[in-house]
Every structure is written in structure tokens, then in C-alpha cells.
Amino acid sequence: MAESLRPLMDDHKHDANDVPHTSTCEEGWQANEKVKHSILEDAEDTLDGRPRQRRNLLYRCTAILSLIFLAFCLLRACLPGNSMRWVTPWQHPADPPSSASADGLYLLGVGKADITGPVVEINLMGYADPKQVGAGLRQRIYSRAFIVGNVDKPDERFVYLVLDTQSGDTAIRYGIHNGLKELGPDYAVYGHHNLAVTGTHSHAGPGGWLNYLLPQITSKGFDHQGYRAIVDGAILSIRRAHETLQPGYLSVGTTKVIGANINRSLFAYLANPDEERARYNVSSSDDGSVEKDMTLLKFQRASDRKNIGVLTWFPTHGTSLYGNNTLIAGDNKGVAAYLFEKQAREDPTAARGFVAGFSQASVGDTSPNVLGAWCEDGSGDMCDFETSTCSDGRSQSCHGRGPFFEADDNGARSCFEIGRRQYDSAWALYRRLQRNSVPVRGGPVKSFHMFHNMTGFSFLLPNGSEARTCSAALGYSFAAGTSDGPGAFDFTQHSGNENTTSPVWKVVSHLLKDASPEQRACHAPKPILLDVGEIHKPYDWTPNVVDIQAFRVGQLVIIVSPGEVTTMAGRRWKEAVRDASAALFATEPQMRVSTNTSDPTSFPSPVVVLGGPANSYTHYITTEEEYSIQRYEGASTLYGPHTLAAYINRTVSLLSYLGATSPPPPPHDKLGLFPQDNTNRSLSFISPVIHDSPPLAKNFGDILTAPLPLYRRGQHVRAVFVGANPRNNLRLEGTYASVERLWVLPGESEAEAAKLPERWQRVRDDGDWSLVFRWRRTGEILGTSEVEVVWETEEWAERGVYRIRYFGDAKSWRGEVKGFEGVSTPFTLV
């Protein structure tokens, strides 16, 4: 691990999730010592010693009776059927199974850690635009870890990670897996089978950390600094969750989220059967074209009934921040988590260190740009329904519009609004579950994971016919992009192929790898643009080996998808798993509803959710009908028209491993199939930081533009400093900038208080949405740069005197990195 990036991982430092506590055993021992000394003193005060002898005899009798009583209690505790436990059950895996899980008691832990990589000079991951290069930070990004375990069998547990990244990834997962091994035997319980690495699908995070060559191209290769930030932060979040593990309860519920997503490929969705679509058409605001349901899992510790976290699933793309945004952020789900955790700090039912995870669901064809796709060419027209093109026949001017699309802020206000809508629904559901809990209970904690090669995989469909998947390939409409992020050149969705685009692309396609007739037939009706699954030089361009994974706790089953699943594809996958889970639950006595145990059909209905993209990024997963349309999502479905059916087949075939009495799945070493780990052989053309210098007659941290003396709430406060490259120090678990408020005591002048450093208290940092950090190079050869810190003051901000502080790190010609600070002049907010 890079210790310089992760100072808080030292054992002598406290984790952010740690809660101070006192030892009641130690306090009790001290109290008993005082009683003992008092008795001895009383005995020594007698004159003839006989009272002391009588007291000693009394003490001996009392001690003997106490020992007899204690032995009787211990004997009763060991007898069958005794409800009292004198030991902590999760510390004794050899104990016979109890009813703890059936009664809803689980082993729970949550943790959160910073994974913010380089915020400047690195291409952002998601839009695949090499011109979209980081220029600062809107909000830090995090890993949030959720651990669920069996109280009676501590080896049965899983950890679900929610990263503020575009996706999970093979290299990242390997890095986390290897890092956990290095933590020692306490972490040996976490492995391939029970570790899920999911991304929120934010398109506003730094790139360069993915395992395969294709997504590395726009980021100029692999960035080890950003990779280590994600891996180390994910491991730290797991550590924090692991170290706070304790018995607790889970409850689950669903709610509607209105106004946070639409279907951006409605033309493809309508290709699904009418009768199937009709099942989900509830109302005009919930017509079934996207899923409006949010599922929330609430974590509550048993000791004091305090809530320690929530984990939610809801589908909407992380594309609220547009392709012209260059500030790092967690997009709308990062906002939702930020708002929920902030509100939880004020909630008396929430514990300190509360963690809120907003995971993706069937995200493939969803968009947060809920006003639809419009042509930004002055025509005032909506984009073509079938091809998402405008009057010139191209896709470049077709853009989705968020709620505040007219604001000139690269989508920031729309992003916050879509995040707020998810937060509002989640918070209302959280409060409802607090009043009327729907417990997760009645079953074990199980998990499975396998690596599966999609190249030429033959299997039977439910109707008995044979199907086969193909080596990975991308179609022409892949290059067209979507209304959230249009592609380049003359590619279009739905009608794009080698006959409707420039002949140059036909040549390029054939130069990379000319697909064989068998490959073209396998992928039909997709016209192949990039036969990436069959290109292995200098290393694999995309994965052919995919992750199949699922978790179970009680009646909740979590499908962990490596790709972006479209709305109807996700429904079919979940329905197949729900049916198979119901049959599995029916065979388990502990799943019977306690009020009706005599009825063999009375058991909790499975609650099935789908999370991803996770573990490895395998692009899209569509229905066969949507695939035939060959819009962006179908063209990006890597393994042919039967991709979804293959995922369903593999998941259902392994579902028996989630049974209460099922043996654990075989270790991966025994199966012998592993995808490549390209971490240490990936190409990289990312230039390092050479040196930093201040301008002539200036020092690092000097103020170049001071704030005005007075601002009204809602205005933007701006300060500019002599800066240095932020890549010199990622300041993980720290901040590049802060807002400090002056605290003035009664009868004290502001001038007197301002002279005392302890009177300036930090009230904002770069983890807050309203504090924006921008960096700009002003001299390429001299290495000069400047930093702009903007506080977008909130309407609810407190009146008072404030100042802005900047934390930087400069690199000398000799390679030494030295920290510095800059402080603005004070200003008053009224």
C-alpha cells in the first residue's frame, strides 16, 4: 500500500468511523477495589479481633454459596433449550446453529473512506472524450462498505462496496483482494466469493484505473496514482466496517422516486413485447419505461437500536454533470449520499459515523436528464426518436437536458437536483421503516462468485432451444454515443453500419481485427465495428471472462451485475432469480413465517435487487428485442444477442449455493479460470509533475485575488492563490480548501478574536458540494499555476465573519514535495 496516500491506515490513528468508548470492566474492577479496601479497614478497627473472625467466616460462606449458584447457572446455560447465552455467539463458529438469523439478528458493519484520485490533468472516466481533462474538484469521492454476516457462523458474510466511480473493475478488485490478504488472518474471511465492488456509474471521476486497454485509450493509459487511491480507500472502508462489526437488525422497503430518470432509448424499449411492457405501466408518471422503485436496506445495531447506515438501489445514469464538466465529483448519487449522511448527523436515531450508500440498479437505458433530448442547433426541435440525430443527420448537437439545463454550470444545478430527489425519497422511506419496520429474517448469509468465459458459451434457453454467446465485439452505434454524451464523426444510433458511415471507419475496423464470418454471424444483426474480444495485443482490449455473483441475507437476494443492464433486461433477470429463490426458500424450514409455520407454502417472498456495474466493466446487457434495434445499448452488448440469457442461465444455475444448508462454492484456485490482471503491464503515457514554481516576487499560497469585504447569502465568494499541482498530494482524508468561521465571544471585538487561531473554526471543506476548487497552469515551462477557491454560499448559511484557506504542496526541481498554506482576508456574510 502507498502509505503516503493513506496515512490514516496506521494502527495508531483513529478511523473516521471509530466511536470513543470506555471499558466497563475496568471501571467495575476499580469500584470493587474500593469496596474491598473499605471492608478491610472496618475489620481492623475492632478491638479483640472476634468480629473480624465472624466476618471472615461470613465471607467464606457467602463465597461458597456464590460459587454453587454460579455453577448452577452455568449448568442451566449449557442445557438444550436455554434462552440465556453467557458467551458472545459470533466468536464461536463451532457452536451449533441458533435461531439468531431466523429472528433477524445479523452481524453488521459499515465504513467509508476517501478515494479521490488526481483531480487535474487526468481524463475523466465515462464519456470517453480525451478533451475532458480534470481541472479541479467539486466534491470528494468515496468508497462505502457494507458488511453483513451470520451471527452464529462468522465465516458466512459478504461485503458490498459502493464506489463513486464509473464502475467496478478487475484490476481494482484484484488490488482490494490482495490488500485484504496483507491485513492478516482477521481479514482472510473476505475473498472472491463474498466481495462485490460496485460503482455508482459517475461520469465525473478521474479515469486511468481500468484493467483493459479500450477504456485506457482516452486517458493516455493507466494511472497508478489514481488506481492506488481507489484500492487503498476501498480497503480502508472495509477495515472501518470490519472493526465496527456488531449484532444488529436489517429492514427493507421500497418507494417510488419520481422525476429522477427517463428512458433515453425509448425506441429500443418499445421493441419489447406489448404484453410484457403492459405489466409495468402503472400510471402516466410511472409508465414502466424505467424503474421508479427504490429499494432501501436499513442497518440498525442491536445494542442501542441506533441506525448505522442505509444501502439503496435505484437506476439513473451518473451523467447529470455534462461532458463539458471538468470538476471531479460523485455526480447525482454522490449528492444523494452526501445529503443523507448530513441529515443523519442531526437525526437522534442515527449513530455517529452513519454511512449512506446509493448503488446503481438497472441503469443501462436510463438518464437523469429528465427533460428529454433536444437539438442544440438553434432549431428548438427534439432529437430524432429513432436515431437521436438532428437536422444535419448527425448526433453531435443532440443533448439530454436536466432540470436546470439553462444554467451555465456544466450541469451542476441539475446534478444536485437529481441527487436531492433520490435523497428525499430515501429519507422518507428511512423514516417510514423506523416507524414500521419490515425485517430481514429467516435465513442465512450466503454468497457465490465465479469467473465465466463468454466466448462460445453454449446453453439451453427456457424453451429448450440452444443458444451461444460470442467473443466480445462492439457495433457501429457504439461510436454514436447517447443523448447524455454524443459520439463523434458520422456515427448514428439504430441506423449506423459500415454502409452508412465514412469508408475510413470500415478500413479502421478491418485494420484492428477483421471479424471472421463466424463472429459476424454470432453477433448478427449487430454490424461489428470493433472486434475487441479477439484483440490481445499488447493485452486484452475488453473482457471475455465475466463475473457471475449473487448475495443472500434472509429473504433478500442481490444480483451483482458486471454490466449496465437495461430496464427490461433487469426485470427479466430479477424475475428469473425471484422464481428460483422462491423455490429454494420453500425447502427451508427456517424461512417459514412464524405465525403460520404449519403451512408449508407460507414463507417470505424473495426481495430481489440488482446492483452494478460491478467487479469488471462489461459494457451493456440488453434484451434480445432491444439488441435487434442496435441503438447504443444494443451495439454495446458485448457477447451477442443471447448475452442476457447467458447471465440469467449462469446465475440461476449457481443459486443453490445460496441455500441455508448448502456447502460453500468451490474455491477459485480449484476451477483455475482467472481474467488477466494488467495492473503492472498496462501502458501509460501520462506525464508526471516535473516541478512547481511561484511567479516572480511571489510565494506559494500568496493571495492573488482577495474576497470582497461583504457578501449576501446566495452569492459566490472567490479567492485566488499562488498554487501548485494538486497531483503532488491527493490529500486523501483531508482537503485542498476550507472555509473558516470566526467565533467571537460576548464583549469581544472581531479584531481581537481574529488574532487567535483557535477562534477560526472550519465549517466547509472540499467534501462539501458548495466549495469548489479549481486549478489552472499559468506557465508550462516555469511550472507556475494558480488555484481558485469558490464558496457558493447557501441560503441557509449562518451570518458571520469568514475566511478561505488553501492547502497546497509544491514539488521542487530535486523532486522534493513540501506543503504550504494560503489564507484569504476575512469577509462578512450577511
Side-chain angles (χ1 to χ4, degrees), residues 303-335:
S303 59
D304 58 3
R305 297 288 179 154
K306 291 269 189 177
N307 299 311
I308 61 173
V310 295
L311 177 55
T312 74
W313 291 269
F314 175 76
T316 190
H317 247 81
T319 51
S320 287
L321 293 168
Y322 301 142
N324 58 0
N325 166 67
T326 58
L327 298 178
I328 301 303
D331 212 272
N332 55 67
K333 288 195 176 290
V335 169

Side-chain angles (χ1 to χ4, degrees), residues 352-370:
R352 180 184 175 187
F354 187 98
V355 178
F358 281 75
S359 185
Q360 276 295 357
S362 300
V363 65
D365 50 1
T366 66
S367 173
N369 297 312
V370 293

Side-chain angles (χ1 to χ4, degrees), residues 691-764:
H691 77 105
D692 297 284
S693 295
L696 189 65
K698 295 288 185 180
N699 296 311
F700 289 115
D702 281 357
I703 188 79
L704 296 175
T705 302
L708 300 175
L710 184 68
Y711 292 89
R712 295 187 180 278
R713 287 180 293 183
Q715 292 183 310
H716 291 188
V717 180
R718 178 175 178 267
V720 181
F721 301 88
V722 175
N725 198 311
R727 291 166 61 198
N728 294 325
N729 184 347
L730 301 183
R731 295 200 165 263
L732 291 162
E733 304 289 324
T735 187
Y736 288 117
S738 65
V739 175
E740 299 174 340
R741 185 186 177 199
L742 179 64
W743 294 95
V744 182
L745 298 179
E748 187 179 39
S749 70
E750 291 180 356
E752 292 174 336
K755 296 177 182 178
L756 303 174
E758 66 273 13
R759 296 294 177 81
W760 292 96
Q761 181 178 353
R762 182 182 297 182
V763 293
R764 304 284 189 282

